[in-house]
Amino acid sequence: MSLFFGLLGWGFAAAFVLMSLLWAVQQKTRNAGIVDIGWSAAIPLMAVVYAWWMDAYGYPRVQAALCMVLLWGGRLAWHIHRRAHGKPEDARYTDLRQAWGRHASWKFFAFFQFQAVAAAVFSVPMLVAVLHADAPLTGLDWAGIGLWLIAWTGESSADWQLVCFKRDPANKGRVCDAGWWRYSRHPNYFFEWLIWVAWALFSLSSAPLGYLALVCPALMLYFLFKVTGIPATEEQALRSKGEAYRRYQQTTSAFV
């Protein structure tokens, strides 16, 4: 366990530096939305640090883990950047800036570093893969890889469907109910959660540390339902879409 926490500490140090740099950027731009891109980049960064520290790039287990986390983080960071580029600061962060007043600077620093702490927790599946680098891939691992592929494809397509819907001027003021959005109000969140289920599944064969990865889908589900996911998104949708979104809530599942 000493090696586990030692590597976790080095990974957190990398995330701390990344988030500090991004905090400095937002000090100039006055746009804290960059923290979302930082979150997407921090976990792949930590995975690379783990593999480099242990010189484990040559093992199939580590190669599979790195491939999954780099594809996940790269796509998500690019999607968030493309969605926010050239637009004002997200209302969530504007509200925090106003509420915190003259203390906003250091409180945002703490907020950015909280993302580094969260990234450290969610990097556990990658850390487990590195620590069990020489273990052969099992049927359970391949099931995790297969589920990850389905979830990553689903999340990518859901995000793209929403982008295409918003690009059409005829859809201005309308609620997106095309593609996956016909079956779930938040298919992107659902598939994101499945990605963490897949990583937990990929880790389970690496006993006993693999069981630690089960905290990731549990925490992600909590965050999506109680913290920054569905509540904030639906509140914004109700403000912008009004009665149309209320009807959508009555006819479409929130998650599954």
Side-chain angles (χ1 to χ4, degrees), residues 235-249:
E235 184 179 341
Q236 174 60 30
L238 286 169
R239 283 198 298 265
S240 60
K241 303 293 192 303
E243 190 58 37
Y245 197 80
R246 289 188 180 89
R247 290 195 297 270
Y248 184 56
Q249 286 178 315

Side-chain angles (χ1 to χ4, degrees), residues 15-27 29-44 72-73 76-78 80-81 83-84 89-94 96-97 100 107-119 228:
F16 179 89
V17 171
L18 173 64
M19 288 301 180
S20 297
L21 292 173
L22 294 180
W23 171 82
V25 170
Q26 73 82 35
Q27 284 286 91
T29 63
R30 310 295 289 176
N31 190 333
I34 198 171
V35 72
D36 297 325
I37 297 175
W39 152 259
S40 305
I43 298 174
W72 166 82
L76 189 57
W78 172 247
I80 294 170
H81 168 74
R83 186 180 62 188
E89 183 178 53
D90 190 286
R92 293 172 297 163
Y93 303 121
T94 302
L96 286 177
R97 197 178 297 280
W100 289 340
K107 285 194 174 183
F108 266 121
F109 182 80
F111 178 78
F112 272 59
Q113 297 310 330
F114 175 77
Q115 307 305 313
V117 173
T228 60

Side-chain angles (χ1 to χ4, degrees), residues 98-129:
Q98 292 174 349
W100 289 340
R102 62 189 179 91
H103 301 297
S105 179
W106 70 265
K107 285 194 174 183
F108 266 121
F109 182 80
F111 178 78
F112 272 59
Q113 297 310 330
F114 175 77
Q115 307 305 313
V117 173
V121 174
F122 281 96
S123 73
V124 166
M126 280 55 75
L127 179 51
V128 168

Side-chain angles (χ1 to χ4, degrees), residues 167-229:
R167 280 180 179 173
D168 188 346
N171 292 327
K172 187 175 181 179
R174 293 180 56 202
V175 176
C176 178
D177 57 358
W180 292 114
W181 302 83
R182 182 181 304 171
Y183 309 104
S184 169
R185 301 202 300 272
H186 306 282
N188 51 341
Y189 291 161
F190 171 70
F191 285 120
E192 174 68 14
W193 175 71
L194 273 188
I195 283 176
W196 293 98
V197 172
W199 269 325
L201 195 62
F202 180 77
S203 301
L204 283 179
S205 62
S206 302
L209 291 178
Y211 292 100
L212 295 174
L214 291 172
V215 74
C216 295
L219 270 179
M220 182 55 67
L221 199 62
Y222 174 76
F223 286 148
L224 289 175
F225 272 87
K226 298 295 183 181
V227 187
T228 60

Side-chain angles (χ1 to χ4, degrees), residues 66-84:
L66 285 175
C67 183
M68 288 189 288
V69 75
L70 290 171
L71 281 173
W72 166 82
R75 189 209 70 84
L76 189 57
W78 172 247
H79 173 70
I80 294 170
H81 168 74
R82 182 179 56 185
R83 186 180 62 188

